[in-house]
Amino acid sequence: MDLPPLTAIRAFEAAARAGSFVLAGAELGVSAAAISLQVKALEAHLGKRLFLRQGNRLTLTEAGRALYPRLGAALADMALATAELRGGPQRLPLIVSVLPSLAECWLIPALAGFAAEGLALRVEDDPVDFARSGAHLRLTYGIHAYPDHQLVPLFRDRIIAVAAPGGAALHIHTDWGASYPTEPNWAAWAAAQGLEAPDPARGLVVGSSGMALAAARAGLGQALVPGRFAAADLAAGRLLRLGGPALPMRADYMAIHPVAQARRRGLAALLAHLRQLSVPDAASDPADAP
């Protein structure tokens, strides 16, 4: 078979996945210069240019984009086959990295009815470095941090106003931090009704949708939260849907993974389960409640 050296294939796959010769070298235990030489050797073997080099940033060419998923999948298959022979598939968990609020308010309930044995859940903020962390799948909001990865939309939610029965009239403000523009806030919610926006300085400020739900559940005030996150509390009567609009969020909640992980054991089954649960159901969507 007319195959290029395995070292050149590994160097290219690591550089394509990491977007950097430096990071690829750190992963493989060699210098960035060694990675560059291996990639040049592969380019010479193929007669194709695989990367556009723009300072410290690498971008795959069309030839590189065509090659990367196939070589990545082949290397993943080799790694999986050898690992299974060493210890059996039961010792190889599918590592799922999840945003904190998405894990607590949606993923854990969503796993009911799914054979979760063999899953390892990690709760962490974006961005996640797949190569360094060992994660196989990332569940997050939007796609801004993950170019050149396989993107699977899960659902797009709507923001609704909720409060505990008899809870305080204080407004709970959510600040998602520097990585994200906070989704429809009280100013947008009030503007949609022609009302004056509440003053954030006179309310409680929290750092996540999960914290906003917990604060509302504790009776500390009214919160704006994704409708699916509040579904269980609304169904149980712990929270009530307040009047006003359901404001659409700007982006989808997403499942993201490196192309090379597409055939990893259990990944397809988990994605199929989550996507099935993500289909909108007007009868049960809390954002459609009066």
Side-chain angles (χ1 to χ4, degrees):
M1 287 184 275
D2 183 22
L3 296 175
L6 180 59
T7 51
I9 293 173
R10 292 185 67 205
F12 164 72
E13 189 276 337
R17 177 162 37 82
S20 163
F21 287 158
V22 173
L23 293 178
E27 178 183 339
L28 298 180
V30 298
S31 67
I35 296 292
S36 178
L37 288 174
Q38 291 293 340
V39 169
K40 287 179 180 178
L42 182 59
E43 290 176 326
H45 180 89
L46 299 172
K48 299 287 184 180
R49 190 175 184 184
L50 301 176
F51 288 110
L52 295 175
R53 298 161 176 83
Q54 301 169 320
N56 293 327
R57 174 69 180 169
L58 295 178
T59 304
L60 287 166
T61 64
E62 288 301 315
R65 286 181 179 275
L67 185 64
Y68 169 55
R70 300 182 68 180
L71 289 187
L75 287 173
D77 276 350
M78 292 169 62
L80 185 59
T82 54
E84 287 180 354
L85 285 175
R86 285 178 181 149
Q90 70 278 8
R91 300 185 185 178
L92 300 171
L94 178 68
I95 300 174
V96 182
S97 168
V98 197
L99 277 178
S101 292
L102 186 61
E104 175 187 357
C105 303
W106 183 78
L107 178 61
I108 296 299
L111 289 176
F114 181 78
E117 182 180 0
L119 292 183
L121 304 182
R122 292 181 183 171
V123 174
E124 52 198 339
D125 292 319
D126 289 305
V128 170
D129 186 328
F130 285 93
R132 290 180 179 273
S133 71
H136 305 127
L137 181 67
R138 173 68 175 163
L139 303 181
T140 188
Y141 177 74
I143 62 174
H144 68 287
Y146 303 97
D148 301 322
H149 287 73
Q150 190 72 38
L151 309 174
V152 182
L154 294 174
F155 60 89
R156 182 168 297 202
D157 213 337
R158 288 176 288 173
I159 296 291
I160 61 173
V162 299
L170 188 75
H171 288 89
I172 300 168
H173 300 270
T174 306
D175 182 356
W176 284 358
S179 296
Y180 296 98
T182 300
E183 280 301 330
N185 51 29
W186 284 112
W189 189 85
Q193 301 180 86
L195 303 175
E196 184 178 352
D199 183 1
R202 301 188 64 181
L204 172 67
V205 180
V206 297
S208 71
S209 296
M211 290 177 66
L213 270 172
R217 198 184 301 125
L220 300 182
Q222 306 170 7
L224 290 176
V225 295
R228 289 179 187 250
F229 287 14
D233 286 314
L234 291 170
R238 292 185 293 269
L239 292 176
L240 301 175
R241 165 89 187 269
L242 303 181
L247 300 177
M249 300 180 76
R250 295 182 180 90
D252 292 326
Y253 284 93
M254 303 289 296
I256 299 171
H257 61 84
V259 176
Q261 300 294 341
R263 297 173 63 186
R264 177 166 290 276
R265 184 186 300 273
L267 189 144
L270 177 59
L271 286 178
H273 176 78
L274 295 180
R275 295 201 73 189
Q276 181 182 18
L277 293 178
S278 300
V279 175
D281 181 355
S284 62
D285 187 348
D288 285 328

